[in-house]
């Protein structure tokens, strides 16, 4: 532990005197959280309150809401608070972080003790408050540790203390026991493992014997130092355990061997890692194009952080041939500093064309550091990939684009006849071109790193968006959906007028849209390549956004063909009149193809260039009012048919489909199409902007306030009426079916809800 962990500041020291403290205890069951609380409360002069969900309801298990209320009450009374929950996932901590205010300090004590010890304690204990004991405890602890996300100061903590052993725990105990009512503690992060330390073993490592591969034994027979069992070679490596360290160490040696720097949980009974979408990519522009490694590594980390939330469980793997690679070393260190989850991003040493056969790492997509001509040759990664893929790659590439400009990428589906597909499982190659700083190569920037960094950021954005589009395309739609759409899905990936025009997925690849926020595709709409512009930046859900600006103003965007469905309907309603409820000169009305409630329709603006709410300004105010009136008209029509319904009218902050559209949706949310957290939270959180509020904001400020789409993923599943939290969609649906609580007060104001007229 760092020496300043126990360095208590007396009154008049750092910060204001005697602020109440909220300490979030974090750790697996059996790590000693409750014992920690009890010892501090018994011995400390400072008044403390323990908040435990297992006992919050008069000695019985309660809810997070009860925990929050009791914690807030204790803080108002001037007491400090221990939150005694596992708190292993960031999402579980978000609500408690809101307790922090000007007069409250937020601390975290992370009891990151060995998994074996936690299991042993959990299995042996009796009369546990939450009844987590005996044989079932081991599986629960293992499951929790697999989801662990270590805290960061950026979450809002002023102080984080990591405890990896009993002496660390005792030091933290002494610190909080000795903390007087007027004392404060230094801010910062203390006791965190050094980035070169080994990852803590997953629990199942202790419960099931791991076979040592023969090649690991052969290494020892050749006189090499034999690694301990936990760092022997395993196939399909994925990091479990401490996520703040960069293991992120190279996960393979010169020929795909696992590095001794990495300890891997070798057992995953729930899913095969072969099914996890994985992109392997080389460092762009740092080899032959001689781009500065420090600057390049900063951009890699920046873009990885930006895209990990969008990619779900998909993985990004930075690959290099040499174990002593400078770029890998820099990226590992910076990823460790950023606390990036090594299950989703890590580095690998090996041949990018033989990652599966030689390294045991299955990657369905690989990136190629291409030349501008998109031709084989030139040496390096480009020559290796074209050679390994065979002639099929060159043919497929020509079908997609003839050339490539710096900052752009083109995704090429790989034929099953390609050796790279058949032997390595690679289904797509993404060609990407970065900036050139080598005067002996075309388009040299002559040391202009301001422009070079901009282009490199564009290149990684194009690359990762291309991978995102592949991930979504390889998920399945309901049977027959693609035939009804009738066109090959296509996506543009680029940032300039010289961008490659298009890439098309094979017609037998069906697209599932559960990964995006809305399901509004017309059965008869055909995406037109000619309707797509070329001044682009790629953003989430198959569209391109140069500025990542969601606060207003028109942005030049390009949308995938499936995302053009509503635009095509708005521009050519006569072609879809059988599917429309109403057509006017200003808008059309249609049923959502995948309704999230009993009644769910869209009022679709017919104004060209008005793609989404961020494009709306004061000049569109009258149109918004007309769309709102049309929405009210249809809501009132539905209420005449069923007076029990309640409607809400609004817009998604960041839609998945092109063309501004107003949702008119009943609040029963009784639909088989409502399947996941994104579906729910995009209609029940601040991400869904009420039409009346949008009209008011546009009138007063000229633009609407929009919520970041990634925040939706961090929110809990909460009932839209009573705001109770639920662990999953089935439990939530069961609850809302029976919930009769009044709607929150804010929804009952300003006409945000549309109800049937009362008899009185």
């Amino acid at each position: 532990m760092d020496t300043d962990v126990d360095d208590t500041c007396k009154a008049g020291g750092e910060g204001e005197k005697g602020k109440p403290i909220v300490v979030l205890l974090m750790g697996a069951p059996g790590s000693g959280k409750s014992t920690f609380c009890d010892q501090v409360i018994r011995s400390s002069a400072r008044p403390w309150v323990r908040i435990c969900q297992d006992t919050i309801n008069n000695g019985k298990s309660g809810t997070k809401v009860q925990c929050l209320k009791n914690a807030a009450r204790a803080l108002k009374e001037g007491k400090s608070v221990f939150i005694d929950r596992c708190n292993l996932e960031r999402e579980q901590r978000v609500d408690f972080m809101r307790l922090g205010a000007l007069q409250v300090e937020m601390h975290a004590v992370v009891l990151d003790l060995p998994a074996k010890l936690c299991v042993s304690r959990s299995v042996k204990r009796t009369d546990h408050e939450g009844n987590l004991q005996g044989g079932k405890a081991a599986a629960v602890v293992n499951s929790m540790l697999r989801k662990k996300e270590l805290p960061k100061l950026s979450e809002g903590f002023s102080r984080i203390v990591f405890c990896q052993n009993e002496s660390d725990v005792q030091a933290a105990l002494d610190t909080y026991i000795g903390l007087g009512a007027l004392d404060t503690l230094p801010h910062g992060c203390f006791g965190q493992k050094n980035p070169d330390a080994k990852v803590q073993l997953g629990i199942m490592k202790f419960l099931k014997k791991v076979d040592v591969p023969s090649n690991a034994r052969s290494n020892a027979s050749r006189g090499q130092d034999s690694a301990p069992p936990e760092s022997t070679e395993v196939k399909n490596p994925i990091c479990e355990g401490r996520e703040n360290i960069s293991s992120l160490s190279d996960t393979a040696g010169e020929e795909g061997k696992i590095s001794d720097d990495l300890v891997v949980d070798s057992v995953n009974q729930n899913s095969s890692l072969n099914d996890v979408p994985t992109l392997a990519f080389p460092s762009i522009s740092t080899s032959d194009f001689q781009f500065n490694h420090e600057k390049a590594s900063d951009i890699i980390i920046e873009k990885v952080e930006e895209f990990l939330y969008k990619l779900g469980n998909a993985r990004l793997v930075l690959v290099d041939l040499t174990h002593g690679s400078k770029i890998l070393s820099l990226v590992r260190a910076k990823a460790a500093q950023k606390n990036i989850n090594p299950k989703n991003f890590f580095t690998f040493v090996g041949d990018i064309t033989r990652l599966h056969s030689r390294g045991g790492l299955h990657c369905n997509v690989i990136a190629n550091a291409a030349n501008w001509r998109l031709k084989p040759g030139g040496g390096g990664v480009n020559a290796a990939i074209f050679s390994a893929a065979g002639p099929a790659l060159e043919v497929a590439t020509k079908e997609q684009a003839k050339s490539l400009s710096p900052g752009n990428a083109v995704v090429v589906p790989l034929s099953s006849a390609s050796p790279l597909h058949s032997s390595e499982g690679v289904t797509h190659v993404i060609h990407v071109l970065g900036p050139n700083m080598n005067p002996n190569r075309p388009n040299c920037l002559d040391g202009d790193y301001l422009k070079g960094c901009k282009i490199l950021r564009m290149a990684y954005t194009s690359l990762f968006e291309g991978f995102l589009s592949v991930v979504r395309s390889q998920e399945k739609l309901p049977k027959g959906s693609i035939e009804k759409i009738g066109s090959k899905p296509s996506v543009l990936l680029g940032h300039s007028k010289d961008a490659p025009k298009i890439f098309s997925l094979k017609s037998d690849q069906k697209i599932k849209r559960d990964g995006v926020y809305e399901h509004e595709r017309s059965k008869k709409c055909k995406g037109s390549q000619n309707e797509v512009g070329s001044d682009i930046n790629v953003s989430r859900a198959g569209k391109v956004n140069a500025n990542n600006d969601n606060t207003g103003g028109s942005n030049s965007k390009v949308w995938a063909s499936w995302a053009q469905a509503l635009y095509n309907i708005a521009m050519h309603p006569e072609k879809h009149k059988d599917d429309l409820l109403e057509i006017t000169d200003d808008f059309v009305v249609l049923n959502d193809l995948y309704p999230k409630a009993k009644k769910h329709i869209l009022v679709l603006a017919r104004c060209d260039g008005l793609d989404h709410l961020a494009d709306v300004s004061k000049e569109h105010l009258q149109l918004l009012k007309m769309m709102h009136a049309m929405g009210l008209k249809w809501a009132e029509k539905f209420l005449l048919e069923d007076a029990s319904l309640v409607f809400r009218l609004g817009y998604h902050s960041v839609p998945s489909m092109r063309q501004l559209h107003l949702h008119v949706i009943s609040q029963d949310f009784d639909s088989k199409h409502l399947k996941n957290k994104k579906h729910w939270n995009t209609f029940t959180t601040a991400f869904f902007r009420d039409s009346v509020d949008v009209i008011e904001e546009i009138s007063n400020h000229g633009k609407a306030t929009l919520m970041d789409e990634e925040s939706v993923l961090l929110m809990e599943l909460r009932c839209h009426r009573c705001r109770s939290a639920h662990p999953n969609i089935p439990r939530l649906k069961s609850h809302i079916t029976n919930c009769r609580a009044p709607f929150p007060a804010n929804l009952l104001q300003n006409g945000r809800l549309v109800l049937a007229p009362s008899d009185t």
Side-chain angles (χ1 to χ4, degrees):
M1 297 282 288
D2 293 354
T3 56
D4 57 349
V5 169
D6 301 319
D7 187 15
T8 304
C9 302
K10 297 300 178 182
E14 178 181 330
E16 298 182 18
K17 299 179 181 179
K19 285 185 180 180
I21 300 171
V22 174
V23 178
L24 266 68
L25 288 161
M26 302 179 197
S31 59
K33 299 182 296 297
S34 299
T35 302
F36 189 100
C37 294
D38 293 342
Q39 290 191 30
V40 174
I41 291 171
R42 281 200 309 267
S43 306
S44 176
R46 175 184 283 258
W48 288 93
V49 172
R50 174 183 174 237
I51 303 295
C52 177
Q53 190 165 326
D54 289 335
T55 60
I56 197 71
N57 188 18
N58 295 321
K60 297 180 181 179
S61 178
T63 66
K64 181 189 277 191
V65 172
Q66 290 175 300
C67 293
L68 289 165
K69 288 181 178 178
N70 285 18
R73 186 182 305 119
L75 291 170
K76 286 182 180 179
E77 296 171 356
K79 299 175 182 177
S80 293
V81 174
F82 282 115
I83 305 296
D84 182 2
R85 299 170 86 248
C86 291
N87 294 313
L88 288 172
E89 297 177 69
R90 179 170 182 166
E91 181 181 340
Q92 292 295 324
R93 301 190 287 264
V94 169
D95 288 334
F96 289 104
M97 296 308 297
R98 297 191 181 111
L99 294 169
L102 185 62
Q103 298 302 320
V104 177
E105 288 205 1
M106 299 299 297
H107 292 190
V109 174
V110 185
L111 303 179
D112 197 23
L113 300 183
K116 185 176 182 179
L117 176 62
C118 295
V119 170
S120 176
R121 287 176 175 176
S122 300
V123 170
K124 293 178 181 178
R125 64 188 177 187
T126 58
D127 299 322
H128 179 249
E129 294 168 335
N131 197 33
L132 184 59
Q133 57 200 37
K136 67 180 180 181
V140 173
V141 174
N142 182 55
S143 176
M144 287 186 174
L145 282 181
R146 288 180 183 278
K147 301 176 182 178
K148 179 173 63 175
E149 297 174 276
L150 291 174
K152 305 177 185 179
L153 293 173
S154 60
E155 292 180 41
F157 292 107
S158 59
R159 177 183 176 87
I160 303 175
V161 178
F162 292 89
C163 304
Q164 279 91 31
N165 52 51
E166 294 292 357
S167 61
D168 291 351
V169 175
Q170 188 58 54
L173 274 170
D174 293 342
T175 297
Y176 283 97
I177 288 173
L179 190 64
L182 298 180
D183 296 340
T184 62
L185 291 171
H187 292 180
C189 189
F190 306 102
Q192 193 166 15
K193 270 189 179 179
N194 118 35
D196 295 327
K198 291 183 177 181
V199 179
Q200 186 184 131
L201 291 173
I203 304 241
M204 297 305 293
K205 182 78 173 184
F206 298 103
L207 305 181
K208 184 169 181 177
K209 182 179 178 181
V210 180
D211 293 329
V212 180
S214 58
N215 60 340
R217 291 190 289 268
S218 66
N219 286 345
S221 68
R222 290 196 300 267
Q224 298 180 15
D225 294 335
S226 61
E230 60 268 23
S231 58
T232 54
E233 179 180 357
V234 291
K235 289 193 175 184
N236 301 323
I238 189 168
C239 296
E240 300 285 350
R242 287 191 57 81
E243 298 171 5
N244 65 308
I245 71 175
S246 172
S247 47
L248 292 185
S249 60
D250 296 338
T251 54
E254 295 293 344
E255 289 297 328
K257 294 188 269 300
I258 298 298
S259 164
D260 288 345
D261 295 335
L262 174 63
V263 179
V264 177
D265 176 12
S266 61
V267 180
N268 187 340
Q269 301 288 1
N270 296 324
S271 64
S272 167
L273 294 180
N274 284 342
D275 296 330
V276 178
T278 302
L279 167 68
F281 64 98
S283 175
I284 301 170
S285 290
T286 53
S287 182
D288 191 40
F289 282 178
Q290 301 178 4
F291 199 92
N292 179 275
H293 285 65
E294 279 285 351
K295 296 180 188 297
S297 60
D298 285 340
I299 291 171
I300 291 172
I301 293 300
E302 172 192 327
K303 287 301 174 181
V304 165
E305 278 197 304
E306 177 184 332
F307 276 85
L308 279 186
Y309 282 123
K310 301 180 182 183
L311 290 170
N313 71 329
R315 302 183 298 178
L316 301 174
V317 185
L318 179 64
V319 177
D320 198 291
L321 270 174
T322 59
H323 194 71
S325 163
K326 180 179 179 181
I327 192 67
L328 291 192
S329 178
L330 288 169
V331 168
R332 286 198 304 273
K334 292 174 182 180
Q337 292 171 3
K338 294 288 188 178
N339 222 5
I340 293 177
N341 188 344
K343 290 186 292 186
N344 298 110
F345 174 62
F346 52 92
T347 62
F348 200 95
V349 175
D351 182 344
I352 198 169
T353 66
R354 298 182 179 182
L355 294 175
H356 186 247
S357 58
R358 289 196 177 182
L361 179 65
H362 183 270
C363 300
N364 61 310
V365 182
I366 62 174
N368 175 35
N371 54 49
W372 71 273
R373 296 169 298 153
L374 293 175
K375 296 285 188 180
V381 172
N382 184 66
I385 289 178
F386 270 104
S387 175
L393 177 58
E394 187 173 2
V395 172
T397 300
K398 286 180 179 178
E399 292 176 357
Q400 310 304 331
K402 304 301 182 184
S403 63
L404 197 60
S405 297
N408 298 318
V410 59
V411 182
V412 179
L414 201 56
S415 164
S416 58
S418 166
L420 201 54
H421 189 301
S422 58
S423 63
E424 299 294 328
V426 176
T427 62
H428 291 77
V429 172
I430 303 179
H431 298 301
V432 59
L433 182 60
N436 175 36
M437 295 295 176
N438 184 349
N440 297 317
R441 294 289 180 266
N443 302 314
C444 178
L445 296 177
D446 296 323
D448 184 354
Y449 272 98
L450 186 63
K451 184 175 182 180
C453 288
K454 180 180 179 181
I455 293 174
L456 190 59
R457 287 187 177 92
M458 290 160 52
Y460 278 111
T461 296
S462 295
L463 170 61
F464 294 157
E465 280 294 349
F467 176 50
L468 188 61
S469 70
V470 173
V471 171
R472 288 176 177 152
S473 72
Q474 291 184 333
E475 297 172 336
K476 294 180 180 178
L477 262 181
K479 186 175 181 180
S481 296
I482 198 74
E483 289 79 9
K484 292 181 180 179
I485 297 167
S487 67
K488 293 183 180 181
S490 56
V491 175
L492 277 161
L493 298 165
H495 303 263
S496 74
K497 293 182 178 179
D498 299 322
K501 291 300 179 187
I502 205 155
F503 96 82
S504 300
L505 300 174
K506 292 183 179 180
S507 59
D508 60 348
Q509 291 177 321
K510 300 180 182 179
I511 302 174
K512 176 182 176 183
R513 297 188 46 229
D514 284 350
V516 294
Y517 292 140
E518 299 163 286
H519 298 274
E520 301 157 351
R521 188 195 326 245
S522 164
K523 294 180 180 179
K524 295 186 178 181
C525 174
K526 298 183 180 181
S528 170
Q529 298 177 5
N530 295 328
E531 293 169 335
V532 183
S534 59
D535 293 331
I536 56 177
N537 267 346
V538 187
S539 80
R540 189 179 181 109
K543 47 188 179 275
V544 179
N545 180 356
N547 303 313
N548 292 324
D549 179 8
N550 66 345
T551 59
S554 180
N555 297 310
S556 177
K557 292 179 182 288
V558 171
W559 306 73
S561 62
W562 58 260
Q564 302 261 8
L566 295 183
Y567 172 82
N568 294 332
I569 292 173
M571 296 301 106
H572 307 286
E574 69 282 356
K575 297 180 181 180
H576 312 280
K577 58 184 179 181
D578 292 340
D579 297 321
L580 302 180
L581 301 175
E582 187 168 348
I583 304 175
T584 76
D585 291 338
D586 299 298
F587 37 73
V588 296
V589 182
L590 67 157
N591 285 309
D592 193 300
L593 186 59
Y594 296 89
K596 301 302 185 294
K598 287 181 179 178
K599 294 294 183 181
H600 185 184
I601 66 170
L602 307 175
V603 180
L604 181 60
R606 296 189 62 193
C607 179
D608 196 5
L610 202 59
D611 289 351
H612 43 49
L613 202 52
D615 290 333
V616 175
S617 61
K618 279 191 176 182
E619 67 179 284
H620 305 112
L621 187 58
Q622 186 58 34
L623 175 63
L624 293 181
K625 291 179 179 179
M626 293 168 62
M627 292 174 68
H628 183 82
M630 179 61 73
L632 281 177
K633 168 188 164 182
W634 278 91
E636 291 166 357
K637 178 180 184 297
F638 293 138
L639 288 171
L640 291 175
E641 300 170 1
D642 185 351
S644 68
L645 296 176
V646 176
F647 284 89
R648 194 173 173 194
L649 283 63
Y651 303 86
H652 284 149
S653 291
V654 184
S656 62
M657 302 285 288
R658 180 186 182 189
Q659 199 60 20
L660 182 71
H661 52 279
L662 172 71
H663 292 269
V664 180
I665 184 167
S666 60
Q667 297 298 287
D668 51 87
F669 294 108
D670 181 6
S671 170
K672 65 181 181 180
H673 299 297
L674 201 157
K675 298 178 180 179
N676 56 47
K677 177 185 283 189
K678 285 180 284 189
H679 293 166
W680 177 257
N681 282 345
T682 53
F683 284 99
T684 61
T685 68
F687 185 87
F688 187 79
R689 298 304 326 280
D690 288 283
S691 177
V692 291
D693 294 332
V694 169
I695 291 172
E696 182 178 343
E697 290 173 3
I698 296 294
S699 177
N700 294 335
H701 308 295
K703 63 181 181 180
T705 301
L706 306 180
M707 180 181 178
D708 177 24
E709 56 186 323
E710 300 308 335
S711 302
V712 173
L713 300 175
L714 302 178
M715 296 180 180
E716 289 186 306
L717 289 168
R718 290 187 172 276
C719 174
H720 61 308
R721 297 176 73 116
C722 69
R723 305 305 297 164
S724 59
H726 300 273
N728 52 49
I729 286 291
R731 291 275 292 275
L732 174 65
K733 283 190 168 183
S734 175
H735 167 81
I736 62 176
T737 300
N738 301 304
C739 182
R740 296 296 178 266
F743 285 94
N746 67 303
L747 289 183
L748 296 172
Q749 301 168 358
N750 201 25
R752 294 184 179 94
L753 292 181
V754 183
L755 303 87
S758 60
D759 295 334
T760 57

